[in-house]
Amino acid sequence: MDIRDHNRNAWNRLVAVKNRWTQPVSAAIIDRARRGLFEILLTPTRPVPEHWFPNLRETPTLCLAGAGGQQAPVLAAAGATVTVLDNSPGQLAQDRYVAEREGLRLELVVGDMSDLSNFADESFELIVHPCANAFVPNVKPVWRECFRVLRAGGVIMAGFTNPVRYIFDDERKENGNLEVRYSLPYSDIHSLPSSELKRLIDAEIPLEHGHTLEDQIGGQLEAGFVMNGFYEDKYPETEGDPLSQFMLTFIATRCVKPHDQNR
């Protein structure tokens, strides 16, 4: 199967059922962003620290796999020149909706986060990559492409899942629990029993991959980035996530593309 096609259809379905990450921001949030008062999320609940942001005024910014009418319109309202690349036309339509409603300019591109060939080298000064790379089988090409399209001195802010989530009995099942069942790196396609994989496919649930921290954090360093920011997060209590009672299971990093790329 083509996982990109499946996940595209799955996220289009999530838009239709009003999943949390598909809901456009309000006019009030856009108004605040225009006045320089804004927050965005890379992970479920914790806003990106204010000091992580460069000056956004006319800053060429890529929202990578970050459609859904949330981060991109806020950044555009705060002054950035924003391009959004996402695999889901339905998610991009949410960004288009906010842009048209609020008179914002966004460039919307359907594409795979692992392939940024639509963009020339050093096209952007900021990349915002909220939790999404669990939906690609190999994360290292994502980091390499980000490094290529980012200008020297530019910033990438990324959120991703701590792979420890994936060693437990599948939390997406109604009877999911904290029984250790799977090894890392994890993949719905290769790790799940065929009956469970069929359930996800038939239900049009996005298929995920639990990338190792070596590929997530080490992959950014291997691509050439210098890391200068890090925090952790978890699901809110209202979502009843059992693992979040014991540990933080999401990570956000801030990295810079150095001017001296031989370091």
Side-chain angles (χ1 to χ4, degrees), residues 21-77:
W21 302 112
T22 73
Q23 294 305 291
V25 294
S26 68
I29 287 175
I30 296 298
D31 180 64
R32 285 176 56 82
R34 285 191 166 112
R35 291 183 280 119
L37 305 171
F38 67 92
E39 293 179 343
I40 65 169
L41 297 175
L42 297 172
T43 54
T45 65
R46 186 173 172 183
V48 176
E50 184 177 353
H51 68 271
W52 276 27
F53 291 94
N55 184 345
L56 292 180
R57 183 59 54 188
E58 298 183 356
T59 297
T61 298
L62 174 63
C63 280
L64 182 60
Q70 298 180 5
Q71 294 91 351
V74 168
L75 292 168

Side-chain angles (χ1 to χ4, degrees), residues 6 188 192 196-205 207:
H6 171 84
D188 280 344
L192 288 178
E196 180 60 16
L197 176 60
K198 183 178 185 300
R199 182 188 72 83
L200 297 180
I201 292 172
D202 291 347
E204 288 191 315
I205 294 172
L207 298 180

